[in-house]
Amino acid sequence: MKDKEEKNLQFVLRYYRHGKLDTAKALNKITGIRQQNNLHKLWIYSSGIAAAILICIVSYTLLSRSDNNMISVTADAGITRHFLPDSTLAILSKGSTLEYDSDNYGKKSREVNMSGKVFFSVRRNEQSPFTATAMYAQVKVLGTEFEIDERMQDTVTNVYVKSGKVMFKGRNSSKGIILTKDMSGTLTHGNEMPEMTSTAFPNPSAWATGKFVYKNTPIDAVMKELSIYYGTSLYASEHFKTITAEFKTDSLDEIISLIEKTLDITITKKD
Amino acid sequence: MTININSFKDNFRLYYRPLCLFALHYLHDIDNAEDTVQDCFAELWERKDSGMEISDIKSYLYSMVRNRCIDIVRKDSLIDSNVQPSDLEGIISEEECEERSYDEARLWTAIDSLPEKCREVFLLAKRDGMKYEEIAVRMNISVNTVKNQMNKALKNLKEGIRKVYMFFFG
């Protein structure tokens, strides 16, 4: 058989099931439905009402119980790591909260509520989308790493995506923007749509990941990020060098001495 | 032309399988594809009494199925708004998809109408990639019989592809 036919055949075989796509049966089904339709309409209508009432009763009993299963995590002491039931990791900065219903989480969807600043590393699952809802904003994803920062209440919400792809929107609006790797978005409270913003630093989520990763990053950008992260002022003796490296966030002095040695420059610290 | 019961039935027989294969390139699930195509025909059936004029029923049906498939894929994927049909190797164009759906429907029909034993041998070899020896052991027949059945199947398929219109009436 020719190549094209072989391709067609492979596609057909992939889905082939004997007796499926029965034209005669399908035709009877469609033309038959219509004849019974009027007889059944009233019955369908009344059974619809009955079903709706039943759903109300069931959901009421379920909802009134479900309070017991709400799990709340509050990061009082400092940065707190919390694993959700599907092994999605949430890292909460100090003072942030996270809340979800452990009974329904992961069934059809994965929904969490949060406040403050939280970094998520979401386990990929296309069957069950992950939605994080904050006071003003909402982010939907399939599987990715991102951070929502809503500590500045009544002004803006920032979202930073470390990897993957997310949809960022206002809490109650239906449209939003799509952010991918290394992109940031800002939602000014009161606005409908978030806006794309440039990511200010190479490692916005260093507080959660415990790492600074630099790839051909200008030394000045590195100094700026480290200065803000450690609350000090750092200056490099040269400005036109770039660095590719990975540092742990544990010790600033160690990072400084490593950069000084590799780039052969001096770094001064002014408090 | 306006749709009456007879023209509806003719068009249904003609396009039902090709449309299912067409939808399959978007949805990649045979049950979903069949449901989607049936929904479209059901809608057309409802509209036939309204005396609506459709100049080109074939492209009308194809656009209807395509739009519905795109809606379904969009709803499921949350964020990917660019929906394109694909085959086992990757994305294909909409024109190619429509064109191929006829040939694939013919293949489907041809496989469906193979004698049972012959079809089983063919599916084990072509779909599941089993060797002739393995098929012979599994079905408790000789390797020669497997070869004969395979030749018969391939011959029937080739003929089936040539007999174009007969096979739409599955």
Side-chain angles (χ1 to χ4, degrees):
Chain A
M1 254 186 248
K2 279 179 283 172
D3 195 39
K4 198 179 137 199
E5 278 168 15
E6 185 63 33
K7 241 164 87 178
N8 289 347
L9 181 63
Q10 284 307 326
F11 184 80
V12 171
L13 283 174
R14 172 77 179 73
Y15 299 100
Y16 179 79
R17 267 174 19 216
H18 183 57
K20 262 271 159 193
L21 306 190
D22 188 330
T23 310
K25 211 165 127 190
L27 182 59
N28 278 344
K29 192 175 152 193
I30 285 167
T31 50
I33 282 171
R34 182 62 181 176
Q35 282 145 23
Q36 297 166 0
N37 230 359
N38 289 335
L39 282 172
H40 283 274
K41 240 175 196 162
L42 191 70
W43 187 81
I44 290 169
Y45 187 64
S46 49
S47 66
I49 293 175
I53 294 169
L54 191 69
I55 289 169
C56 285
I57 296 168
V58 170
S59 55
Y60 176 72
T61 46
L62 284 178
L63 280 175
S64 54
R65 273 190 357 196
S66 68
D67 283 355
N68 307 334
N69 304 312
M70 286 304 278
I71 292 184
S72 288
V73 185
T74 308
D76 288 327
I79 293 172
T80 304
R81 295 159 68 90
H82 181 81
F83 280 101
L84 294 157
D86 64 333
S87 81
T88 288
L89 172 65
I91 304 178
L92 287 72
S93 76
K94 196 178 173 193
S96 305
T97 64
L98 181 74
E99 205 179 57
Y100 61 94
D101 181 346
S102 68
D103 271 359
N104 292 323
Y105 182 89
K107 283 206 178 129
K108 271 196 173 155
S109 59
R110 298 173 285 173
E111 284 169 23
V112 300
N113 294 320
M114 59 148 291
S115 72
K117 177 158 94 164
V118 181
F119 176 88
F120 293 97
S121 173
V122 179
R123 176 123 193 145
R124 191 170 177 88
N125 181 353
E126 294 185 15
Q127 309 305 322
S128 174
F130 183 91
T131 309
T133 309
M135 192 100 74
Y136 300 94
Q138 194 173 63
V139 174
K140 283 190 180 185
V141 299
L142 294 176
T144 184
E145 294 175 298
F146 69 100
E147 158 185 318
I148 302 178
D149 185 355
E150 213 169 63
R151 287 172 305 173
M152 290 159 279
Q153 272 183 24
D154 304 323
T155 49
V156 294
T157 303
N158 290 315
V159 169
Y160 162 71
V161 179
K162 186 160 171 281
S163 70
K165 193 172 179 186
V166 312
M167 154 104 126
F168 176 27
K169 64 186 194 60
R171 188 181 172 145
N172 296 316
S173 56
S174 57
K175 280 187 176 167
I177 57 172
I178 289 181
L179 300 174
T180 53
K181 188 173 158 45
D182 283 333
M183 281 162 73
S184 299
T186 300
L187 174 71
T188 309
H189 298 159
N191 284 7
E192 281 269 296
M193 288 281 282
E195 286 171 349
M196 240 177 263
T197 45
S198 59
T199 306
F201 304 110
N203 300 286
S205 296
W207 65 273
T209 58
K211 271 191 293 192
F212 293 108
V213 181
Y214 298 112
K215 225 176 183 181
N216 282 326
T217 311
I219 190 68
D220 283 350
V222 176
M223 292 299 107
K224 203 172 150 198
E225 177 168 79
L226 296 178
S227 300
I228 288 176
Y229 189 89
Y230 292 103
T232 171
S233 301
L234 299 169
Y235 300 95
S237 60
E238 286 189 46
H239 306 286
F240 299 107
K241 289 192 170 171
T242 61
I243 187 161
T244 299
E246 194 177 309
F247 304 113
K248 283 189 178 167
T249 54
D250 304 343
S251 158
L252 175 61
D253 290 333
E254 206 172 286
I255 298 173
I256 288 175
S257 75
L258 275 169
I259 297 177
E260 282 180 330
K261 273 177 202 154
T262 39
L263 294 186
D264 194 22
I265 56 172
T266 41
I267 293 169
T268 42
K269 196 159 132 190
K270 289 174 193 162
D271 284 316
Chain B
M1 72 182 205
T2 49
I3 310 272
N4 57 37
I5 293 179
N6 282 332
S7 67
F8 180 86
K9 284 185 175 172
D10 288 347
N11 281 303
F12 192 95
R13 292 199 186 97
L14 213 54
Y15 297 124
Y16 181 67
R17 276 194 184 168
L19 283 167
C20 285
L21 267 305
F22 179 73
L24 205 47
H25 280 283
Y26 285 91
L27 302 174
H28 302 283
D29 180 287
I30 187 73
D31 294 315
N32 277 346
E34 205 173 7
D35 283 349
T36 306
V37 174
Q38 286 184 10
D39 283 353
C40 291
F41 272 111
E43 211 175 301
L44 190 69
W45 179 257
E46 297 265 330
R47 283 186 202 162
K48 80 175 169 13
D49 302 322
S50 67
M52 185 180 57
E53 293 264 339
I54 299 172
S55 56
D56 183 350
I57 185 124
K58 190 185 99 187
S59 35
Y60 183 84
L61 280 166
Y62 268 89
S63 334
M64 210 169 161
V65 171
R66 189 188 68 233
N67 290 341
R68 223 167 256 245
C69 287
I70 290 175
D71 282 348
I72 291 170
V73 176
R74 274 208 186 127
K75 207 173 75 199
D76 286 351
S77 77
L78 276 168
I79 42 181
D80 253 329
S81 51
N82 194 16
V83 180
Q84 285 170 306
S86 59
D87 67 0
L88 300 181
E89 286 161 21
I91 287 166
I92 58 175
S93 72
E94 282 182 10
E95 296 79 32
E96 189 189 343
C97 184
E98 188 177 330
E99 206 183 295
R100 279 176 64 169
S101 68
Y102 304 116
D103 296 334
E104 286 163 355
R106 268 170 234 149
L107 278 169
W108 185 290
T109 310
I111 298 169
D112 233 20
S113 45
L114 289 175
E116 203 187 324
K117 263 256 169 68
C118 187
R119 184 175 58 240
E120 206 179 331
V121 169
F122 179 74
L123 289 178
L124 287 175
K126 274 281 180 182
R127 183 186 59 192
D128 307 330
M130 282 171 78
K131 291 197 180 93
Y132 287 180
E133 290 80 18
E134 291 169 334
I135 298 171
V137 171
R138 180 169 168 160
M139 292 182 65
N140 206 11
I141 51 178
S142 74
V143 176
N144 247 334
T145 316
V146 173
K147 276 183 192 161
N148 288 339
Q149 296 282 17
M150 262 319 267
N151 285 337
K152 194 171 154 192
L154 288 173
K155 203 177 133 223
N156 277 5
L157 283 200
K158 271 185 189 164
E159 276 171 13
I161 292 164
R162 271 189 227 117
K163 287 186 206 161
V164 178
Y165 290 106
M166 240 196 80
F167 283 102
F168 282 140
F169 303 87

